[in-house]
Amino acid sequence: EASGVVFGKSADKLFSLSGLFAVYKPKGPTSAGVLNLLKERLLAEAGVQTNGNKRNQVLKIGHGGTLDSAAAGVLVVGIGKGTKMLRTMLAGSKKYTAIGLLGKATDTLDATGKVTEEKPYDQITKGDLENVLQKFTGDIMQVPPLYSALKKDGERLSTLMKRGEAVEAKPARPVRVYSLSLQQFQPPLFTLDVECGGGFYVRSLVSDIGKELSTCATMQELTRTKHGPFTLEEHTLYEDKWTIDEIARSLEHCTSLLPGEPSHKKLKTEHPGETAVSCE
């Protein structure tokens, strides 16, 4: 019983859910938008009336590792006590498949932005691209994009940029690339598989690769295929599976993937340089 409302069986089950699971975020909505839709679905199925802003207190749910609106793939969701585990999750590695476009640069470093530069790219061979990738593997320094969820004085840089305020680039920071490989090369398009640590921007990587090749490049498409132990193929719930029972099943299945409490602490000390802010 909560605030004088008697809940039925499915609501009891919903409010007893606890842990981490993964949902598929499609291209288009923001990560927060996907989470709100999921929350609405679950509360509706449980028959819980939500009036105005009360719904946030009703169900504890959050996501880890924001994906840009234009990106798709694995979005890790914490429910109940799982919301406290999201910060630890963010330090884990993530895998992406990215499609880059040679010869064009945009202000956002992806396909949603305005074209700021065009350069020839015909001289670039598959070999050139493969050679350059070695420079971006391991512990590298990376300047985050101006249009990003990083904050200045409590406001997102992207919000400030859209208002037309002058935003200075954040300083380069250390990031980790575990592996980077070229999957396809059909100029002007190239497809990369990247496995990286927290706080890494695939958009910046694509842009930096373009500069390194003496041309420019922008990211056309991005899919996160893995976040920590959660993979797109095995653990990700698509929208038709956003039900209390499916999530309960998924939570059971996913508990075995997560390290026990002691190893959480180990994770934290492994990469002291990493922050819990993760964005793509």
Side-chain angles (χ1 to χ4, degrees):
E1 202 170 309
S3 61
V5 184
V6 181
F7 293 134
K9 263 210 175 79
S10 56
D12 285 343
K13 185 165 185 182
L14 173 60
F15 292 119
S16 69
L17 296 178
S18 189
L20 295 176
F21 62 102
V23 298
Y24 178 77
K25 180 202 160 312
K27 257 169 96 162
T30 62
S31 295
V34 169
L35 196 71
N36 283 334
L37 183 63
L38 173 69
K39 202 191 284 189
E40 274 166 35
R41 282 282 172 85
L42 295 175
L43 290 171
E45 186 192 340
V48 180
Q49 293 299 309
T50 57
N51 37 1
N53 275 335
K54 287 270 181 1
R55 67 175 181 190
N56 293 338
Q57 291 115 40
V58 178
L59 185 61
K60 276 188 77 172
I61 193 164
H63 70 78
T66 306
L67 276 174
D68 286 337
S69 305
V74 178
L75 188 66
V76 176
V77 176
I79 192 165
K81 291 199 176 76
T83 52
K84 293 195 169 66
M85 298 157 77
L86 288 168
R87 282 184 90 73
T88 318
M89 273 295 306
L90 296 180
S93 82
K94 305 173 185 69
K95 280 187 181 171
Y96 296 93
T97 299
I99 299 176
L101 173 76
L102 290 168
K104 272 190 182 153
T106 67
D107 54 0
T108 57
L109 312 188
D110 67 13
T112 65
K114 290 198 273 291
V115 176
T116 52
E117 198 181 7
E118 296 199 43
K119 282 186 166 178
Y121 57 85
D122 333 344
Q123 69 286 5
I124 294 161
T125 65
K126 188 178 179 187
D128 293 335
L129 199 44
E130 282 172 334
N131 289 339
V132 155
L133 295 188
Q134 291 163 17
K135 290 191 179 179
F136 294 98
T137 308
D139 289 312
I140 62 167
M141 296 298 284
Q142 185 186 66
V143 177
L146 284 177
Y147 279 90
S148 72
L150 294 184
K151 293 185 174 166
K152 179 193 169 196
D153 307 330
E155 279 207 90
R156 287 183 169 216
L157 293 184
S158 51
T159 310
L160 297 171
M161 292 283 289
K162 281 173 192 155
R163 275 215 305 265
E165 294 191 24
V167 177
E168 262 180 64
K170 291 258 178 184
R173 54 191 195 169
V175 289
R176 183 167 290 182
V177 179
Y178 298 100
S179 68
L180 177 57
S181 59
L182 181 64
Q183 295 305 312
Q184 261 189 315
F185 183 60
Q186 295 172 298
L189 297 174
F190 61 97
T191 305
L192 302 172
D193 275 350
V194 192
E195 184 170 4
C196 54
F200 183 85
Y201 281 92
V202 184
R203 283 186 281 155
S204 293
L205 169 72
V206 170
S207 171
D208 292 344
I209 286 170
K211 288 176 188 155
E212 196 65 44
L213 290 165
S214 306
T215 179
C216 48
T218 189
M219 191 174 76
Q220 289 300 100
E221 269 185 51
L222 183 68
T223 306
R224 179 151 65 202
T225 54
K226 189 168 189 266
H227 185 174
F230 298 92
T231 67
L232 194 53
E233 285 83 24
E234 256 182 282
H235 314 108
T236 305
L237 298 177
Y238 285 78
E239 212 182 312
D240 59 334
K241 296 257 164 65
W242 291 1
T243 65
I244 296 168
D245 285 348
E246 287 287 356
I247 288 169
R249 259 201 292 277
S250 193
L251 287 168
E252 263 174 61
H253 175 52
C254 294
T255 308
S256 58
L257 300 171
L258 300 167
E261 278 309 303
S263 49
H264 276 341
K265 297 192 175 54
K266 195 177 76 202
L267 243 177
K268 285 216 165 99
T269 49
E270 243 174 71
H271 311 305
E274 284 186 352
T275 60
V277 178
S278 166
C279 356
E280 269 55 65

